[in-house]
Amino acid sequence: TTWDYPGNRLDAFITDILRTLAEGEQDEIRLTGQDVEYAVYDGKMPSGMKYSTVYLVNKDIYGQPRQPTMEVRGKEIPVRIEGYAMRIAWVFDRVLVSPRSQFVRIDDAVRSGGGYALTVAAEPGRHELQIAGLGKAVRSVTVNGRKAAMAVDRDGIASVCADLRVRNTIRIG
């Protein structure tokens, strides 16, 4: 009978078939890597700007950090997720912003002078944000009116460390 073939591992076989079908159905945001699950939700900011929120969860049973690659509209973006942790990324039409902390949230975004002005809520303290341009490179970042020191990795992804307050304005140029 069918349940006897290919042996007692039919559940793994069916899981592999479903995974292959699901990968073929991925849209403009996809993830490659091991032990990381993700979900994408689309929405609109209060200003009316459309965005997608990507929730990434490290499910490694040993609690090891993982660094999958998120592909957004053809651009590959490595994202590090600590053991047993979750990371969130907000994707706008031309930029991706992903804080390393779960205690940072983007409440609104508007296009401003060729860049973006983000309204950000945070647990007060020092936070790191990963920022990737989805077309042209990120040139500058200001946090609450101060120019932020920006490190750019070999993939062209910017990282910014900044002291955030409860309410913040972050400008990306």
Side-chain angles (χ1 to χ4, degrees):
T1 66
T2 303
W3 290 107
D4 293 331
Y5 179 82
N8 61 3
R9 297 297 301 159
L10 183 61
D11 58 337
F13 180 65
I14 290 172
T15 299
D16 189 48
I17 288 173
L18 292 174
R19 181 180 297 117
T20 302
L21 289 172
E23 286 175 359
E25 294 297 319
Q26 293 187 41
D27 201 9
E28 61 184 20
I29 299 173
R30 71 180 87 202
L31 192 78
T32 55
Q34 293 182 334
D35 300 322
V36 175
E37 299 288 334
Y38 75 108
V40 179
Y41 297 94
D42 295 326
K44 266 189 182 177
M45 290 286 169
S47 64
M49 179 173 284
K50 292 181 182 180
Y51 70 97
S52 296
T53 305
V54 184
Y55 294 89
L56 305 127
V57 178
N58 182 342
K59 293 179 71 177
D60 181 82
I61 62 172
Y62 301 108
Q64 297 297 311
R66 292 290 176 206
Q67 188 161 333
T69 300
M70 189 179 341
E71 186 178 326
V72 181
R73 297 182 203 112
K75 181 168 180 77
E76 292 184 350
I77 304 162
V79 180
R80 182 180 171 91
I81 307 162
E82 298 301 325
Y84 305 123
M86 177 177 76
R87 212 151 150 205
I88 303 170
W90 283 267
V91 180
F92 301 99
D93 57 348
R94 295 185 186 164
V95 71
L96 174 143
V97 179
S98 180
R100 288 206 184 263
S101 168
Q102 299 173 188
F103 303 106
V104 177
R105 179 185 72 231
I106 298 177
D107 288 339
D108 203 1
V110 293
R111 295 288 307 261
S112 172
Y116 291 85
L118 307 177
T119 302
V120 177
E123 177 73 23
R126 191 142 187 91
H127 295 280
E128 183 178 352
L129 295 101
Q130 187 176 18
I131 304 169
L134 303 175
K136 59 182 184 176
V138 173
R139 295 182 320 273
S140 66
V141 176
T142 62
V143 178
N144 298 322
R146 292 187 179 147
K147 186 171 173 108
M150 189 171 66
V152 179
D153 67 14
R154 62 187 164 99
D155 297 307
I157 313 301
S159 288
V160 172
C161 285
D163 292 316
L164 298 181
R165 304 183 297 236
V166 173
R167 302 291 295 161
N168 305 273
T169 300
I170 297 176
R171 296 189 184 281
I172 301 169

